[in-house]
């Protein structure tokens, strides 16, 4: 017979940033909390994940989806790859981390022109949790305006009035989630069930709530963890698998009353914008430190360029950033040769044939690099904090421009269950994904606006190297699995409500990038952590 000692107040599935953030807020309550994680400290656990299979001709940018998510404490934070270096110690990697920034207000409103439905909350709901999210993520002050992080040698580019602006990324360490977060939660009474794989939910007879979560231990033995409230914090792939496998087992999929569980899968495509060739010796080159990666009062920051919200909304564009990546001497030499031949008036449009010639010119000085670029093998990298050099000797004058972009939601981009199951009864996932031609053309128009701003202010000339009829070359995705359990005010428009509770289910909640109705372009972790803290406070109430 089951007793109250076997009943948890809160069962959280997933020990990545979302699950740990929910637990950190719930730990202030007197409730009994367990956190279920399929892996442990340093591995993906005894059972791993069932496969995610792509269609035969699916162009999904990451290729092997199975490598784009992780079990184990910290979740996908274990895959973060940005190197956070100690000042003055270029060769010693301190640890791995990732980029953070809040979504823009425009990202959360309905934009019918590109098909985004809008969020049922606004930026102020997220800003309320900004400082707390920063503390949990190991970040600096909740400030993303360029002026706050500027100094005499690190200034924003002079782009006022062009529709292009500068804002910031911050960088935080993976250890905020792979190490100290768990230790702190254990001290506060959270019980971790590691090497324990969630299989599906166990609905109550009335099918408006669940008894708990069916799990498998390391030896494959299954049992049900009973809980008053269940939080699925397992990411955009595994949360969908749990919900759909619940439906396969029990005849009703939580949240799928409108057929939206698994639909509207979004990524953040990463594309080449071209090369920005500048005049070597230009004064502004000596002040580019803001666009490199550097420490300011112990916080790692880097600037990005974006289009202002008014331009994005008026022209019905997708949100995207422009990152400046310095290139080596081969690029610089070729860029200087190209620039000598490119003296047309600022802002003048060039015919396609001339654009092709520009690309060939800049690549002529670096044939081996050119071949790699055209073959898609020359992957971008961010150099050390001092890449801008000093005032007397700027190190670079040619920059590759990379765009991390928004993708509009498309219900045909979706996750479904396959026919194959693993030894525990979990289904394989099938991913259908495409990047629409309309999205690609919108990014092309954004790229042109960045180029126009650079030309108008005499910063340099954009040389296109990797575009085909206005469509960008896709470098890859960013392992951001978004949109598959979207948030909505009305039940028929989404899967979860504004408090992240699954519509029509009393005690099932979801928190991850899967609840995003639209994606913006920034890395989602800061928004996910803010949502998770917000959900934790709601559940405490």
């Amino acid at each position: 017979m089951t007793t109250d000692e076997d009943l948890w107040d809160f069962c959280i599935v997933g020990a990545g940033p979302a699950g740990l953030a929910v637990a950190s807020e719930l730990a202030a309550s007197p409730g009994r909390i367990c956190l279920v994680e399929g892996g442990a400290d340093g591995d993906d656990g005894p059972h791993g994940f069932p496969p995610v299979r792509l269609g035969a001709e699916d162009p999904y940018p990451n290729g092997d989806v199975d490598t784009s998510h992780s079990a184990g404490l910290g979740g996908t934070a274990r895959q973060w790859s940005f190197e956070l270096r100690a000042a003055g110690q270029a060769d010693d990697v301190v640890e791995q981390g990732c980029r953070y920034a809040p979504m823009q207000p425009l990202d959360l409103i309905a934009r019918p022109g590109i098909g985004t439905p809008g969020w049922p909350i606004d930026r102020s709901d997220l800003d309320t949790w900004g400082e707390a999210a920063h503390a949990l993520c190991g970040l600096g002050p909740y400030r993303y305006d360029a002026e706050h992080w500027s100094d005499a040698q690190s200034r924003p580019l002079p782009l006022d009035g062009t529709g292009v602006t500068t804002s910031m990324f911050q960088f935080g360490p993976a250890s905020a989630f792979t190490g100290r977060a768990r230790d702190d939660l254990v001290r506060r009474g959270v019980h971790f069930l590691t090497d324990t794989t969630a299989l599906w939910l166990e609905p109550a007879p009335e099918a408006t709530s669940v008894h708990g979560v069916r799990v498998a231990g390391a030896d494959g033995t299954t049992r049900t963890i009973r809980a008053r409230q269940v939080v699925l914090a397992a990411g955009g792939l595994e949360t969908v698998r749990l919900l759909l496998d619940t439906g396969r087992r029990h005849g009703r999929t939580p949240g799928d009353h409108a057929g939206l569980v698994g639909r509207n899968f979004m990524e953040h495509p990463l594309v080449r914008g071209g090369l920005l060739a500048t005049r070597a010796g230009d004064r502004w080159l000596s002040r580019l430190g803001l666009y490199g990666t550097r420490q300011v009062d112990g916080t790692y920051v880097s600037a990005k360029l974006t289009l202002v919200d008014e331009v994005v909304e008026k022209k019905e564009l997708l949100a995207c950033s422009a990152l400046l990546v310095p290139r080596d001497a081969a690029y610089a030499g070729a860029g200087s040769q190209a620039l000598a031949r490119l003296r047309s008036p600022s802002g003048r449009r060039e015919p396609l044939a001339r654009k092709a010639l520009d690309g060939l010119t800049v690549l002529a000085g670096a044939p081996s690099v050119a071949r790699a670029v055209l073959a898609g093998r020359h992957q971008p990298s961010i150099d050390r904090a001092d890449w801008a050099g000093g005032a007397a000797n700027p190190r670079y004058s040619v920059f590759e421009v990379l765009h991390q972009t928004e993708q509009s939601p498309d219900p045909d981009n979706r996750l479904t269950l396959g026919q194959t199951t693993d030894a525990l009864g979990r289904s394989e996932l099938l991913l259908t994904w495409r990047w629409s031609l309309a999205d690609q053309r919108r990014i092309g128009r954004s790229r042109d606006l960045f180029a126009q701003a650079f030309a108008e202010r005499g910063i340099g000339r954009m040389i296109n190297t990797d575009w085909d009829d206005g469509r960008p070359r896709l470098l890859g995705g960013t392992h951001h699995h978004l949109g598959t359990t979207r948030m909505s005010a009305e039940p028929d428009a989404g899967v979860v409500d504004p408090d992240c509770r699954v519509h029509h289910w009393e005690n099932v909640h979801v928190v991850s990038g899967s609840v995003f109705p639209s994606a913006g372009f920034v890395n989602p972790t800061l928004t996910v952590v803010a949502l998770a803290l917000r959900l934790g406070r709601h559940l405490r109430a």
Side-chain angles (χ1 to χ4, degrees), residues 168-193:
M168 306 300 294
F169 283 119
Q170 292 190 37
F171 296 82
S175 61
F177 300 108
T178 59
R180 67 174 186 263
R182 194 272 297 265
D183 297 339
D184 176 63
L185 290 173
V186 169
R187 285 193 297 269
R188 297 172 66 193
V190 175
H191 189 72
F192 281 72
L193 300 174

Side-chain angles (χ1 to χ4, degrees), residues 521-541:
F521 73 84
V522 299
N523 299 47
T525 305
L526 185 62
T527 302
V528 169
V529 170
L531 286 172
L533 292 171
R534 180 174 175 269
L535 171 60
R537 179 63 59 86
H538 173 73
L539 291 175
R540 282 175 54 193

Side-chain angles (χ1 to χ4, degrees), residues 221-281:
T221 302
T222 64
R223 62 189 176 100
T224 297
I225 296 175
R226 297 178 63 248
R228 291 190 171 93
Q229 299 287 341
V230 172
V231 177
L232 302 182
L237 300 178
E238 292 308 306
T239 295
V240 170
R241 192 194 319 261
L242 284 164
L243 293 172
L244 293 179
D245 263 344
T246 299
R248 174 170 280 184
R249 284 270 167 174
H250 296 285
R252 186 180 178 198
T253 300
D256 204 36
H257 48 279
L260 290 173
V261 172
R263 291 190 181 271
N264 298 296
F265 184 98
M266 295 174 287
E267 253 282 5
H268 284 139
L270 180 67
V271 303
R272 284 193 174 92
L275 297 179
L276 173 61
T278 71
R279 294 174 177 84

